[in-house]
């Protein structure tokens, strides 16, 4: 199942003609839903699916077209972040950068689930806490008052 779903994802994220773009989005949404169901259903080997889902859903949440529902979906699988190996700097570097971007994302800061997700990041790994603090400090001097309240 895993070997079928994630090549499908690659096909669905390629730049399709406008005619098939809607089908690609539907395929991607179905893949996300299946992986989430697998995670929430506590199925065997669910870790294989969710560790692939995390970066995909995170990238979707950081996109300019992201919606509150996307943040809620990511928040619902936040415990899966504990499966990631923060000791292996090479394998986690790209994902860490995306996770750090959440602390400056207005959508994350404006939604309760987004703020809870960011709060969860502080419990992931001791070495990541300093990175999170630095990412927030950079934002503070130029952030809007409403966003400042979220911090």
């Amino acid at each position: 199942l895993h070997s079928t779903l994630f090549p499908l994802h690659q096909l669905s994220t390629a730049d399709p003609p406008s005619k098939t773009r809607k089908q690609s989005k539907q395929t991607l949404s179905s893949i996300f839903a299946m992986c989430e169901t697998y995670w929430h259903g506590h199925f065997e080997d669910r870790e294989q699916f969710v560790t692939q889902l995390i970066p995909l859903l995170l990238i979707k949440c950081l996109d300019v077209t992201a919606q509150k529902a996307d943040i809620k979906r990511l928040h619902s699988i936040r415990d899966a972040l504990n499966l990631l190996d923060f000791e292996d700097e090479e394998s986690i570097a790209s994902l860490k950068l995306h996770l750090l971007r959440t602390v400056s994302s207005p959508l994350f800061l404006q939604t309760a689930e987004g703020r809870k997700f960011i709060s969860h990041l502080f419990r992931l790994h001791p070495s990541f806490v300093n990175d999170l603090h630095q990412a927030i400090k950079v934002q503070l001097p130029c952030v809007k008052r409403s966003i400042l309240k979220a911090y």
Side-chain angles (χ1 to χ4, degrees), residues 57-75:
L57 199 48
L58 183 58
I59 289 168
K60 183 174 185 191
C61 289
L62 292 169
D63 190 75
V64 295
T65 62
Q67 299 177 356
K68 291 179 182 182
D70 299 321
I71 304 293
K72 288 180 181 182
R73 292 173 84 177
L74 183 60
H75 176 262

Side-chain angles (χ1 to χ4, degrees), residues 16 46 54 57-58 63 70 79 90 92 101 105 129 131 134 139 141:
R46 70 187 185 138
I54 291 168
L57 199 48
L58 183 58
D63 190 75
D70 299 321
D79 291 332
E90 279 186 42
I92 197 78
R101 286 181 53 206
S105 167
V129 172
D131 296 335
Q134 291 301 319
Q139 298 298 314

Side-chain angles (χ1 to χ4, degrees), residues 1 11 26 34 36 49 54 59 66 74 77 83 85 87 91 98 110 116 120 122-123 127 135:
L1 187 57
L11 288 174
Q26 290 172 337
M34 195 286 312
E36 289 172 60
F49 292 96
I54 291 168
I59 289 168
L74 183 60
I77 63 164
L83 299 171
D85 184 6
E87 298 293 326
S91 69
H98 290 302
Q110 292 167 353
K116 288 177 189 176
H120 183 78
F122 281 92
R123 295 185 292 256
S127 68

Side-chain angles (χ1 to χ4, degrees), residues 65-145:
T65 62
Q67 299 177 356
K68 291 179 182 182
D70 299 321
I71 304 293
K72 288 180 181 182
R73 292 173 84 177
L74 183 60
H75 176 262
S76 76
I77 63 164
R78 70 190 175 283
D79 291 332
L81 291 169
N82 299 328
L83 299 171
L84 302 174
D85 184 6
F86 279 83
E87 298 293 326
D88 184 1
E89 201 54 44
E90 279 186 42
S91 69
I92 197 78
S94 176
L95 186 61
K96 279 175 72 172
L97 291 175
H98 290 302
L99 290 170
L100 289 171
R101 286 181 53 206
T102 64
V103 302
S104 62
S105 167
L107 191 56
F108 274 87
L109 296 169
Q110 292 167 353
T111 58
E113 289 83 1
R115 290 189 300 273
K116 288 177 189 176
F117 180 82
I118 292 170
S119 174
H120 183 78
L121 296 179
F122 281 92
R123 295 185 292 256
L124 287 179
H125 194 269
S127 68
F128 192 49
V129 172
N130 190 43
D131 296 335
L132 288 165
H133 279 284
Q134 291 301 319
I136 291 171
K137 279 185 195 179
V138 169
Q139 298 298 314
L140 293 179
C142 57
V143 75
K144 293 179 183 178
R145 190 175 298 264

